[in-house]
Amino acid sequence: MAGLSEEARAKLRKVSTATLTTCLLRRGFRTRMMTDVRSAGPANRMVGEAYTLRFIPAREDIDQMSNYADPANLHRRAIEECPRGHVLVIDARKDARASSGGDIMVARLKARGCAGIVTDGGFRDTEGVVATGLPAFHKQPAAPSTPILHHPQDLNVPIACGDVAVYPGDIVVGDSDGVVVIPAAHAEEIANEAWEMTQYEIYAETRIAGGASLYDVYPATPLSRADFEKLRNGKP
Amino acid sequence: MAGLSEEARAKLRKVSTATLTTCLLRRGFRTRMMTDVRSAGPANRMVGEAYTLRFIPAREDIDQMSNYADPANLHRRAIEECPRGHVLVIDARKDARASSGGDIMVARLKARGCAGIVTDGGFRDTEGVVATGLPAFHKQPAAPSTPILHHPQDLNVPIACGDVAVYPGDIVVGDSDGVVVIPAAHAEEIANEAWEMTQYEIYAETRIAGGASLYDVYPATPLSRADFEKLRNGKP
Amino acid sequence: MAGLSEEARAKLRKVSTATLTTCLLRRGFRTRMMTDVRSAGPANRMVGEAYTLRFIPAREDIDQMSNYADPANLHRRAIEECPRGHVLVIDARKDARASSGGDIMVARLKARGCAGIVTDGGFRDTEGVVATGLPAFHKQPAAPSTPILHHPQDLNVPIACGDVAVYPGDIVVGDSDGVVVIPAAHAEEIANEAWEMTQYEIYAETRIAGGASLYDVYPATPLSRADFEKLRNGKP
Amino acid sequence: MAGLSEEARAKLRKVSTATLTTCLLRRGFRTRMMTDVRSAGPANRMVGEAYTLRFIPAREDIDQMSNYADPANLHRRAIEECPRGHVLVIDARKDARASSGGDIMVARLKARGCAGIVTDGGFRDTEGVVATGLPAFHKQPAAPSTPILHHPQDLNVPIACGDVAVYPGDIVVGDSDGVVVIPAAHAEEIANEAWEMTQYEIYAETRIAGGASLYDVYPATPLSRADFEKLRNGKP
Amino acid sequence: MAGLSEEARAKLRKVSTATLTTCLLRRGFRTRMMTDVRSAGPANRMVGEAYTLRFIPAREDIDQMSNYADPANLHRRAIEECPRGHVLVIDARKDARASSGGDIMVARLKARGCAGIVTDGGFRDTEGVVATGLPAFHKQPAAPSTPILHHPQDLNVPIACGDVAVYPGDIVVGDSDGVVVIPAAHAEEIANEAWEMTQYEIYAETRIAGGASLYDVYPATPLSRADFEKLRNGKP
Amino acid sequence: MAGLSEEARAKLRKVSTATLTTCLLRRGFRTRMMTDVRSAGPANRMVGEAYTLRFIPAREDIDQMSNYADPANLHRRAIEECPRGHVLVIDARKDARASSGGDIMVARLKARGCAGIVTDGGFRDTEGVVATGLPAFHKQPAAPSTPILHHPQDLNVPIACGDVAVYPGDIVVGDSDGVVVIPAAHAEEIANEAWEMTQYEIYAETRIAGGASLYDVYPATPLSRADFEKLRNGKP
């Protein structure tokens, strides 16, 4: 699996999307959190490279359920070709009037070792999708059959998802707040920075629980920073 | 209980609304899944004939809380007259700024042996509504008193609910994806077809879990179909 | 803690927002339930006086993350100055494109003995916010950093939150249906009235469970009222 | 033409919907102005009794273009049966994804001496509709054929239109602000009151143009009221 | 100019989008009228083949105003390469928070002999856009600079615009109701059919103006059809 | 009139809001154009300093029509105290369910020499508002009386309007695209820059009309820039 180091991947699994948006803002990125995209069930952490599928609206004479018997169908190909460790990200134009995929497709992604699935539309068989255990993020459940609304047009091109530009290979991270997309070139650096911030946040939370005020620890002061470093280095 | 056979009712309790939308699409029905209607708590399966209540907007001089003391009040009558096994479906014009009903009303429906309640508005006392155990589907919680917003106008006439036409006696099915409405004349046939499809889907899921690809089993191929039939008939 | 008696506070903890909207409607208040504000996790009951924070939109040259290091920052001051037993209510203009606060801030409110936090925007680190155990109500999760969208402008002035006017000192009550705001001058009286209504509702629910109809018990009839009073006074 | 006197009708043609909402508020009516309903072209004043048509959502097997050849079709009957001087008000569930009527239908209403047409959906052939000269109010243009979306279900029953309850015979008034619905029983009285208010407003506008302040004339003061009465009675 | 005959083009200029949606529905097309796309000024009739531009969301490090100095910029190329007689159709994801183009770009399209421009986002300098005289359809004015929101990604690929699938070469027709997209293969036939329908509609309007009822002429009856044919063939 | 020089004011009257958003973006301002705020009639150019009024939601016991007889009423005071040459900007929380002001109030602003009025709610008596000739920008017409929805809370404090932070004294500019707010400290400089850009745009439009391509003139090239300067300096 190219791109992201295992260390960065491991760190990203332990930081929040909120912390990542702060790291991104420091680099001038204000628009990297998807709008109206949330976990289909209780949130699982998700980290992986983006592999994309672009839907356009269906046309009645082109889009039929029978298309799914065709091995060239891009919707099926997306499921079978999304690489291990990657997240399948679907541009569904924020439209959940019909399905972006169902439990069997998601189960296959899981079986193939993919890291998750994201759509700005909706899944059908939501209960089954959640039961697969694969991190799955969408707008809302969407039972009706895909060809009523969506035509799979392209694999692995730059897309829109939840108002965010997603380029193939971008790092996609999800948690209970939703999904954030990190430009590939920044991912290693941001993984480290976010991990560092998270260590401090854990320290701050402990201090708050112990009665410290925001002025004492959040954001960090020179004093709290020094205290944190001391503790971290095992000095009492 | 007229209309639906017990066998069809039992089958419909074991199939998903997603599968039903596919059966409906095969018959040309594209618009039978309600929009923005979901289970008020963890989803219970719901199946029953539609019994309907039509709200129109309240008018300040006509709609008062005191109306509820009148035995002729159609909101109370709907609760008391919805037949056993039926689902009370309320046309609330997709407006959840005030309540379509609360926990006491829903408890009474449950006690009377009704199968569920659906509104495209909202319930109040959502916690209490969920605690009754009756399948209950709405748009979102809606605490304010009904007469601020809704006037009960008709019992058991054709209505709109969640952008779907609901005729009295239509078969209403709900699960975690939401609510689908099957025209009465198609219900027996669709119950059988959906049940058959579901058996195959269970087979396909098992195969996917065992490493099969979508190309192998979904949609069915002549080979997978034969294998499924063989297994089903108990031949190894 | 001024304003609300401990008895009224205790009663308000045991009544629903739905019942409160009915008490309010009797006094001519139709618009005291917030729109699109719900519990960030499984709903905790919340009761407390309103302490308010007014956000206006951010301006790129004024609003920077570095502002949070300034002790004069009103967002931090709101957290540190909201009195014990009070609810911090934030006017975020119903905009959840960026955060109204995160888990560390909420943890501090909790540590300080506040009763809850409400915004018509969204929290970041939703999982962490819920983990603090403080009742927290918002529109939806909102990971991006606050200064992208919000500028803290005023402390404890009258505000809008979820389309409701909130005056400092109003009594704010939350449950699974959402958040209602009781004008301070009416709070004692309404606490008593709602508590009385709730006792009757518990009686009615028991009767409904035992097979009574709505006509028998809901709304109350002279007969059911007498029966209720008899039971309440311990006469068989 | 029953119901409204010719004098009241004439007065209502010369007052604004804004003034009428004030008269309605004085009588406790807060919800009589339609939401999202506006003139299809440059606004013509419209006054007339409501004659109503209720749409429900279309169902693919019931709603076909060929239905329009049937004389029993309620959409055509509504156009042919709406009485002279009346306004045809259509409950289209605020849905303008397909047409509530087009230029030929509107031309026929005009030819029959009706006073206007209102829908909370949309017209097709908007240019043609406007060209008929009949006051026509809708949400937005809606070219697609009616049977894709709407099924005509009832004639002249109480309906919802633009979130307002419309009872047959209510007085419907439209101008550039939109459409207001006056309960029939209040129409004569409100026509007079609004006409009186309008005379004063014309006086106030003249005074404002001459340099008076709001404190001088708006709302009326005892002094300005006396001055107005003097002028009105022809005393210099 | 390939594709559409001059005769079909001329006919399409004289028929309404409403009539075209009826022709499309007869062929099973229910979803070919754009949603929320309307003329930027008083509506001009527009007919032409689709030439498409696909925007994805901007990314702060990629999208800068300075990109427009680059001859490879696809936004500028779209304007310079859209063929004569064609309509430039832009997929702006229904997002009008920033511009899809301004008056200078539209003036250049006009100078190059193009037939129109359509976006499901918005134009800036709306007044200037309208002043060019080129038919221009959008959602609403959108002054902010394009690179804040949009990145031009592809030229002349299948896109979504206003919820409609637009394939390069489809025939795009606009009027005061909005914009309809005719699949290229059906355009000649539909042009003829719509033109025929329009002749009858003109006849029906004349009859309605003369006092005929809908039952007499709309939809056509055998009698009215015969009368129309007679008149058309010049027989009195 | 403090703040803006007469020269800057004159220049701002001749530039578009689109050009101003470009100048603002160069300085890092991405969020200074109001959303969903447009001219109430055919657009008049508007330029002036912001004088603000903050509404909060009405409360039934506090907000009565009779309040308007009180000279302390802030809504009336806003009209009487907004300085000459200034624009009254109203924070109506983007809510147009009731009026932000009507024709008499707007006429008084006009008579007092103010430069315009802006609300992110709506005006009543829209026709009358437009007839005053004062530039007036809102979301949509809103006939119902103000006290149903709005309580005037503050004069001339920082507010939100159409999602933009407006500080008293900011420069507010409106045209057919809507309303942009320039931070006071940047106004002189931006007036000059926008005026320069506009001169070049006029040149570019002339060149485009004469057959030049975007590559020749837009954005400016060294060649086109030199040509423009030459023409401007009157050298043929």
Side-chain angles (χ1 to χ4, degrees), chain B residues 45-73:
Chain B
R45 282 297 170 89
M46 173 183 72
V47 177
E49 292 90 345
Y51 183 85
T52 70
L53 168 62
R54 178 164 85 101
F55 281 147
I56 61 170
R59 205 171 86 182
E60 290 84 346
D61 56 341
I62 295 177
D63 295 288
Q64 310 284 342
M65 279 188 294
S66 55
N67 296 3
Y68 280 75
D70 183 346
N73 178 282

Side-chain angles (χ1 to χ4, degrees), chain F residues 106-141:
Chain F
V106 174
R108 176 60 180 153
L109 269 185
K110 167 86 174 177
R112 292 190 54 255
C114 297
I117 181 167
V118 177
T119 176
D120 56 4
F123 301 118
R124 66 193 322 213
D125 302 302
T126 313
E127 209 169 284
V129 166
V130 173
T132 66
L134 190 76
F137 292 78
H138 68 164
K139 186 178 174 189
Q140 58 184 60

Side-chain angles (χ1 to χ4, degrees), chain D residues 60 65 68-69 71 76-77 79-81 103-105 107-108 111 123-127 140-145 148, chain E residues 16-19 21-22 25-26 29-30 33 36 38 43 45 176-177 201 204-205 208 211-215 218-219:
Chain D
E60 290 85 346
M65 278 188 294
Y68 280 75
R76 288 212 297 181
R77 280 187 53 200
I79 302 292
E80 292 293 342
E81 299 180 15
D103 53 1
I104 294 179
M105 282 184 160
R108 176 59 180 154
F123 301 118
R124 65 193 321 214
D125 301 305
T126 312
E127 209 168 284
Q140 59 184 60
S145 310
I148 290 178
Chain E
S16 71
T17 57
T19 299
T21 63
T22 300
L25 180 58
R26 286 179 182 159
F29 295 107
R30 295 168 167 261
M33 188 86 194
D36 284 329
R38 56 190 66 90
R45 284 295 171 88
S176 62
D177 280 358
E201 282 165 16
E205 279 159 20
I208 292 280
S213 82
L214 293 182
Y215 301 127
Y218 193 75

Side-chain angles (χ1 to χ4, degrees), chain D residues 17 32-41 43-44 46 87-96 100 116-123 135-141 159-164 166 172-181, chain F residues 96 126 140-144:
Chain D
T17 58
R32 307 297 297 158
M33 188 86 194
M34 292 185 184
T35 55
D36 285 329
V37 171
R38 56 191 66 90
S39 182
N44 287 334
M46 173 182 73
V87 173
L88 179 61
V89 184
I90 301 174
D91 175 349
R93 307 175 314 285
K94 306 198 285 185
D95 199 334
S100 293
I117 182 167
V118 178
T119 177
D120 56 4
F123 301 118
F137 292 80
H138 68 164
K139 185 178 175 188
Q140 59 184 60
I159 59 168
C161 185
D163 294 331
V164 175
V166 184
V172 185
V173 182
D175 68 5
S176 61
D177 280 0
V179 175
V180 70
V181 182
Chain F
T126 313
Q140 58 184 60

Side-chain angles (χ1 to χ4, degrees), chain A residues 104-171:
Chain A
I104 294 180
M105 282 184 159
V106 173
R108 176 59 179 154
L109 269 185
K110 168 85 174 175
R112 292 191 53 256
C114 296
I117 181 167
V118 178
T119 177
D120 56 5
F123 300 118
R124 65 193 321 213
D125 302 303
T126 313
E127 210 169 282
V129 165
V130 172
T132 66
L134 190 77
F137 292 80
H138 68 164
K139 184 178 175 188
Q140 59 185 58
S145 310
T146 308
I148 290 178
L149 186 64
H150 295 306
H151 174 82
Q153 180 67 32
D154 286 309
L155 282 190
N156 222 23
V157 299
I159 59 168
C161 187
D163 294 331
V164 175
V166 184
Y167 289 83
D170 280 353
I171 304 306

Side-chain angles (χ1 to χ4, degrees), chain D residues 16-19 21-22 25-26 30 33 36 38 43 45 176-177 201 204-205 208 211-215 218-219, chain F residues 60 65 68-69 71 76-77 79-81 103-105 107-108 111 123-127 140-141 143-145 148:
Chain D
S16 72
T17 58
T19 299
T21 64
T22 301
L25 181 58
R26 285 179 182 159
R30 293 166 169 262
M33 188 86 194
D36 285 329
R38 56 191 66 90
R45 282 296 170 89
S176 61
D177 280 0
E201 282 165 16
E205 279 159 22
I208 292 281
S213 83
L214 292 182
Y215 302 127
Y218 194 75
Chain F
E60 290 85 345
M65 279 188 295
Y68 279 76
R76 287 212 297 182
R77 281 188 52 201
I79 301 292
E80 292 293 341
E81 299 179 16
D103 53 1
I104 294 179
M105 282 184 159
R108 176 60 180 153
F123 301 118
R124 66 193 322 213
D125 302 302
T126 313
E127 209 169 284
Q140 58 184 60
S145 310
I148 290 178

Side-chain angles (χ1 to χ4, degrees), chain A residues 4-13 47 187-189 191-192:
Chain A
L4 198 61
S5 73
E6 280 313 307
E7 189 196 336
R9 203 178 297 266
K11 285 180 170 171
L12 287 172
R13 278 200 198 97
V47 178
E188 291 288 329
E189 191 180 275
N192 288 325

Side-chain angles (χ1 to χ4, degrees), chain C residues 215-234:
Chain C
Y215 301 126
D216 295 325
V217 298
Y218 194 76
T221 66
L223 208 64
S224 73
R225 178 64 67 189
D227 185 52
F228 164 66
E229 294 296 349
K230 207 161 45 175
L231 278 167
R232 197 186 198 184
N233 298 326

